Amino acid sequence: MAGLEVDLLAPDAGEDNPKRRVPGEEGTWIFIFGDMCVFAVFFCVFLQARISDPSGFAADQAQLNQNYGALNTVLLLLSSFLVVLAMRSIRSADHHSWTPRLLIGAWFCGAGFLGVKVLEYSEKISHGITPQTSDFYMYYFVLTGLHAFHLILGLIVLTVMVLMARKASLSRGQFVFFEGGACFWHMVDLLWLVLFPLIFLVR
Amino acid sequence: MSATTSLFSVKSQRAILWWGIGLAVAYALALIFLMRMVPPPSADWSAESVSEFYRDHSTSIRWGAVISGWTGAFMMPILAVVAIQMARVETGGAKIWSALSLVSGALMSLFLALPPIFWGAAAFTADREPEITALAHQIGLLTLTTTDQYYIFMWVGVTVLALRPATQLVSNNPFPRWWGYLSLWITVMFEAGAFAFIPKTGPLAWNGLLVFWSPLTLFGVWITIQCWLLFRALRGQEDDQRSGAAKERDLETAFL
């Protein structure tokens, strides 16, 4: 059992080893793929709706503040990078103490994303733009709102990970959960990387 | 023969589960073919269109309501078995998650049983003022779609128990770890239901992707997989009891 733990926690486990390991638990991937399927269906539904009214969608899209979207993209990419570093540091004996700090950094990037989202929504609402304004804005609010909801779940997961990272060492089960949490956070990032061009940029 | 083990409980659980499944199938068929609510009429319809719908299908909708009246509480028997099996694996004091799931089965039955009553009432005197029929129709559909959140209590309970390491140590456990993750995901997906009060078209309308189709599908998927897991676990529990009883008998004869 101890041997297995060492093996698992070794950096780059699997690279020299022909038997590659899926990070996290199998179960987390049910959650992640389930979510990604739902978003994929939504992206298709959005594009389908866009075909029926290209000029209306383009006019509404032009009113979006791309700076908010771009800033949020940077924040999420940075947070994902910090999570990657945290994943590295938790496996290293020398830099283990860095893990909580890196995760807290990622947490604040995620919270910053939500802050920008609140600004963006309130700007739209102050201009009288709501989900009922047009089809484009209905999809805009639903898709970005659904993503923001996942981001809030991700922040809860990151909080749990911070608490776990403060322990001196993790059991095998805890480590696998930790990895699954990191995968979930990357999924939240990945979904935004598709959402941002789809809603803000596609012409 | 002094073997004290009895298969009454396991057999009863299996029978009650089949009872629930039978009711669920009948309810679904009535919902689809008699009440014509899958897919539901668009939330955009005028009161006149709604009234016409109920005048055209008055008889079949009322018979649908009759059958739903017999079958609407199908989650009670299913959740009773789920809760008993949860209690079996929930070790360490008060079985609070199992209790939560049990009451949640009773609560969600209300929201499955009520909509057909409202549609039946709409069809009962379909030649009345269209606005009144439309109101009954809307109350029915909104009751069905916006009450999704009342379902999640059981999923949270199942998630907690399936993800708890101690649960996986119990033999013939119907809540594997991956099932916890799937239940958690379904919990998240069901939160969209309440939005149906706001839009009349799109994915959050009462006939939309997130409010109608995804909860309906996931609900069906959850019941199907959970029943399969329960039957498998019950089979294992029965086998264990049989072999336990056989061992006892062997011991008795050995000492005779």
Side-chain angles (χ1 to χ4, degrees):
Chain A
M1 190 63 195
L4 180 67
E5 249 178 77
V6 171
D7 212 24
L8 195 68
L9 299 178
D12 303 327
E15 260 178 33
D16 311 323
N17 193 338
K19 189 170 162 273
R20 296 189 71 92
R21 201 177 58 84
V22 176
E25 282 176 57
E26 289 91 342
T28 42
W29 291 98
I30 294 182
F31 197 105
I32 289 173
F33 281 125
D35 255 2
M36 296 215 296
C37 285
V38 171
F39 272 95
V41 169
F42 261 108
F43 296 155
C44 296
V45 170
F46 174 79
L47 288 172
Q48 179 73 32
R50 191 171 168 272
I51 290 170
S52 62
D53 181 21
S55 57
F57 270 56
D60 285 342
Q61 190 192 46
Q63 293 177 320
L64 293 184
N65 188 336
Q66 293 185 354
N67 294 332
Y68 285 145
L71 176 61
N72 268 346
T73 308
V74 173
L75 280 173
L76 277 196
L77 283 175
L78 181 61
S79 78
S80 254
F81 180 62
L82 291 173
V83 168
V84 170
L85 291 181
M87 214 53 236
R88 294 239 147 201
S89 68
I90 199 161
R91 288 189 294 201
S92 122
D94 302 335
H95 304 104
H96 192 279
S97 59
W98 274 90
T99 316
R101 290 174 225 174
L102 290 164
L103 288 172
I104 289 169
W107 195 96
F108 275 104
C109 289
F113 180 101
L114 281 184
V116 173
K117 201 95 265 174
V118 169
L119 269 181
E120 197 183 324
Y121 281 175
S122 52
E123 199 180 276
K124 288 283 164 287
I125 292 165
S126 71
H127 287 100
I129 297 172
T130 65
Q132 276 123 311
T133 303
S134 67
D135 268 3
F136 175 84
Y137 276 112
M138 193 265 298
Y139 283 109
Y140 163 80
F141 278 107
V142 169
L143 282 168
T144 56
L146 198 62
H147 178 262
F149 176 59
H150 279 81
L151 196 118
I152 293 170
L153 294 180
L155 288 181
I156 297 170
V157 171
L158 282 184
T159 310
V160 175
M161 286 166 71
V162 171
L163 297 177
M164 288 170 87
R166 286 194 172 146
K167 292 186 182 178
S169 69
L170 297 181
S171 72
R172 185 178 177 278
Q174 285 172 330
F175 177 76
V176 175
F177 177 87
F178 192 89
E179 241 182 359
C183 292
F184 182 77
W185 187 258
H186 292 318
M187 180 203 75
V188 172
D189 184 14
L190 177 69
L191 288 175
W192 178 253
L193 291 182
V194 181
L195 259 182
F196 173 54
L198 192 71
I199 291 187
F200 286 73
L201 303 177
V202 168
R203 295 255 181 262
Chain B
M1 186 143 137
S2 68
T4 48
T5 36
S6 157
L7 292 174
F8 177 71
S9 169
V10 170
K11 286 189 164 150
S12 303
Q13 288 179 59
R14 191 177 291 138
I16 291 173
L17 205 51
W18 277 118
W19 182 12
I21 293 170
L23 295 182
V25 170
Y27 180 87
L29 292 176
L31 197 70
I32 298 169
F33 295 108
L34 292 173
M35 287 180 288
R36 297 159 205 268
M37 287 298 165
V38 184
S42 162
D44 245 357
W45 277 16
S46 66
E48 279 70 27
S49 315
V50 173
S51 171
E52 202 184 311
F53 173 82
Y54 280 90
R55 265 180 278 132
D56 289 351
H57 307 299
S58 170
T59 312
S60 94
I61 291 171
R62 277 149 59 202
W63 276 109
V66 171
I67 293 174
S68 304
W70 286 324
T71 59
F74 62 89
M75 282 311 271
M76 286 246 308
I78 294 177
L79 258 285
V81 178
V82 172
I84 289 297
Q85 287 292 322
M86 284 171 76
R88 187 177 163 270
V89 300
E90 185 174 358
T91 50
K95 300 184 184 300
I96 183 65
W97 293 108
S98 318
L100 186 66
S101 291
L102 187 64
V103 290
S104 137
L107 183 67
M108 75 176 77
S109 290
L110 275 179
F111 300 120
L112 289 162
L114 283 175
I117 298 175
F118 297 138
W119 298 321
F124 193 60
T125 323
D127 49 1
R128 65 166 90 78
E129 280 291 307
E131 293 290 345
I132 299 170
T133 302
L135 178 65
H137 167 72
Q138 286 177 2
I139 293 176
L141 264 163
L142 289 171
T143 304
L144 183 73
T145 52
T146 62
T147 52
D148 287 356
Q149 302 70 242
Y150 297 102
Y151 293 39
I152 70 159
F153 298 102
M154 71 161 171
W155 285 319
V156 174
V158 168
T159 301
V160 170
L161 285 189
L163 293 183
R164 181 181 179 218
T167 301
Q168 305 308 329
L169 303 176
V170 179
S171 63
N172 298 309
N173 152 45
F175 309 103
R177 223 178 136 79
W178 61 268
W179 186 234
Y181 283 105
L182 192 63
S183 299
L184 181 65
W185 180 61
I186 295 180
T187 308
V188 172
M189 291 301 295
F190 258 63
E191 289 296 336
F195 282 114
F197 285 116
I198 310 296
K200 293 201 167 147
T201 56
L204 292 177
W206 74 35
N207 60 345
L209 205 59
L210 270 185
V211 165
F212 188 78
W213 293 107
S214 106
L216 184 80
T217 319
L218 293 177
F219 189 49
V221 166
W222 192 87
I223 293 177
T224 309
I225 300 181
Q226 183 65 80
C227 286
W228 171 70
L229 287 168
L230 286 170
F231 281 128
R232 199 178 61 164
L234 285 170
R235 209 158 45 229
Q237 288 166 29
E238 192 179 21
D239 289 347
D240 280 0
Q241 284 201 11
R242 275 186 209 284
S243 61
K247 257 186 213 143
E248 263 179 54
R249 269 201 307 279
D250 288 349
L251 277 176
E252 266 171 40
T253 46
F255 283 109
L256 276 174

